[in-house]
Amino acid sequence: MKMAAANPQQEPEQVPDRIPLEEVYMRMAEELAKRSTCARLQVGSVITTGDLTQVLGIGYNGNARGLPNRCDSDEPGNCGCIHSEQNALIKAGAQLPGKVMFVSASPCVMCAKMIINTNVARVYYREAYRDPAGLEVLRQAGVEVVHYNRWRELWP
């Protein structure tokens, strides 16, 4: 019986010759976050088809259309902003299965539940939100969760 090496040598990951679509959409989410009017945390989201060939919806957190572009309250967790995930999901529709979401900060629990109910199959996030419970809800429901930071420093 042949034993595996205690410290197997791992092949270095090959750098793609051009920017991967996952990185393109994550950067797009980060740029959308800059439109946010939330005073505490600016978040952006992009929803694509499962094969990453079409953008279905975009969003950033802020007040409802037609209302003042500011938070309703200074109370953390109760600012009154619609979350970026919610804004993107409204535009992307619920029926198409296998959607992919890119979000600049991981979802809260309520956004995670909306993500599940709108047939998103995979969520990429760049930064972790202060409460990781949303990620656990996604995992429990079988949504693939990816902390995506792989090619952040390349393709400036």
Side-chain angles (χ1 to χ4, degrees):
M1 184 163 112
K2 192 172 186 178
M3 300 277 292
N7 292 317
Q9 295 291 326
Q10 289 186 340
E11 293 292 321
E13 191 170 11
Q14 188 173 350
V15 176
D17 59 352
R18 59 185 179 156
I19 188 170
L21 285 174
E22 292 87 351
E23 184 63 24
V24 169
Y25 292 132
M26 185 59 73
R27 290 180 186 192
M28 187 182 217
E30 291 173 323
E31 288 300 310
L32 285 164
K34 295 174 184 177
R35 288 192 49 83
S36 170
T37 57
C38 184
R40 189 178 62 78
L41 180 63
Q42 295 180 307
V43 181
S45 296
V46 176
I47 299 175
T48 71
T49 54
D51 63 2
L52 307 181
T53 61
Q54 296 178 54
V55 173
L56 302 173
I58 62 170
Y60 48 89
N61 53 336
N63 216 337
R65 184 180 339 155
L67 297 180
N69 285 326
R70 64 177 185 276
C71 296
D72 295 338
S73 164
D74 291 334
E75 182 183 339
N78 196 27
C79 70
C81 290
I82 297 171
H83 292 191
S84 75
E85 300 94 329
Q86 295 168 331
N87 273 324
L89 289 166
I90 289 166
K91 297 168 189 141
Q95 300 311 315
L96 181 66
K99 292 186 288 287
V100 178
M101 177 177 261
F102 296 85
V103 61
S104 58
S106 60
C108 70
V109 169
M110 290 309 292
C111 285
K113 291 178 179 182
M114 288 181 69
I115 288 166
I116 293 162
N117 279 1
T118 54
N119 294 306
V120 172
R122 183 179 314 125
V123 174
Y124 289 88
Y125 69 96
R126 186 76 95 190
E127 304 294 333
Y129 180 58
R130 60 185 162 90
D131 181 1
L135 294 174
E136 185 55 34
V137 168
L138 290 171
R139 289 183 185 110
Q140 286 175 1
V143 175
E144 184 181 351
V145 175
V146 180
H147 182 203
Y148 189 79
N149 227 2
R150 182 175 294 157
W151 309 113
R152 190 176 202 170
E153 302 305 321
L154 298 178
W155 300 284

